[in-house]
Amino acid sequence: MENIIKIGIGVMIKKGNKILLGHRVSNGLDTGGIYEPDSWCLPGGKQEYNETIFECAAREVKEETDLDISDMEVFGAIDDIQTDRHFITIHVIANKVKGEAKVMEIDKQDKWEWFELDKLPQNLYSPSKKFISNYLKRDNSRNR
């Protein structure tokens, strides 16, 4: 792989106190992102040339879940580094969602489920885990 930093977008879709997570298939192929099969992840993916952050977030969510999102905000950004790849992952929160989540890319996810923020699955995809952890820290500090 070339020594190029790439941009990824992770999207936290909020519905009340729940967020949407997809289960990454156990035998999934390495598509060039951070490779962690059999984990739970937020929707998202690689930003394309000439595409804004919010356009990428909406496109990736639609491609993966068939949901339409809006009322988006950038939450933050973080480095996601593995031995042979480096991503800057931009964290986007979508506060509005329309539709029912469907598995659209069966070679990547085998299900989508809504989880309460205090009852998340154990095996979280590391970029999603960083995002959720930072979000919960910020949310907890605001509620003090």
Side-chain angles (χ1 to χ4, degrees):
M1 185 174 197
E2 299 175 55
N3 290 329
I4 297 173
I5 298 173
K6 296 186 178 182
I7 304 295
I9 307 290
V11 185
M12 180 186 291
I13 305 171
K14 292 176 55 186
K15 189 182 340 181
N17 190 42
K18 293 184 178 183
I19 61 171
L20 185 68
L21 294 172
H23 182 259
R24 297 169 73 89
V25 295
S26 298
N27 59 350
L29 298 176
D30 184 347
T31 60
I34 302 299
Y35 185 62
E36 294 177 11
D38 193 27
S39 61
W40 288 90
C41 66
L42 297 166
K46 299 173 203 81
Q47 188 174 8
E48 295 177 356
Y49 185 79
N50 208 21
E51 181 178 56
T52 69
I53 293 166
F54 295 141
E55 288 169 344
C56 176
R59 176 185 54 77
E60 286 288 351
V61 167
K62 187 69 172 178
E63 287 176 2
E64 293 180 357
T65 69
D66 199 35
L67 293 171
D68 295 304
I69 57 171
S70 60
D71 190 17
M72 290 179 264
E73 60 185 286
V74 172
F75 176 79
I78 198 158
D79 286 293
D80 287 309
I81 302 171
Q82 287 186 338
T83 307
D84 62 344
R85 55 198 78 182
H86 182 170
F87 277 84
I88 302 296
T89 304
I90 300 170
H91 299 156
V92 173
I93 295 173
N95 294 297
K96 293 184 181 173
V97 60
K98 290 182 184 175
E100 294 295 322
K102 300 175 192 161
V103 174
M104 303 297 290
E105 297 176 325
I106 59 173
D107 56 326
K108 294 180 183 176
Q109 286 92 11
D110 53 20
K111 59 184 159 185
W112 291 99
E113 292 184 24
W114 292 96
F115 289 90
E116 292 183 29
L117 282 164
D118 59 351
K119 295 178 184 170
L120 298 172
Q122 291 297 310
N123 192 20
L124 288 173
Y125 179 64
S126 61
S128 297
K129 186 175 185 176
K130 289 178 193 175
F131 183 175
I132 294 165
S133 177
N134 288 338
Y135 174 80
L136 291 173
K137 285 178 193 170
R138 183 190 79 174
D139 200 44
N140 287 336
S141 69
R142 287 183 175 179
N143 291 330
R144 287 183 190 170

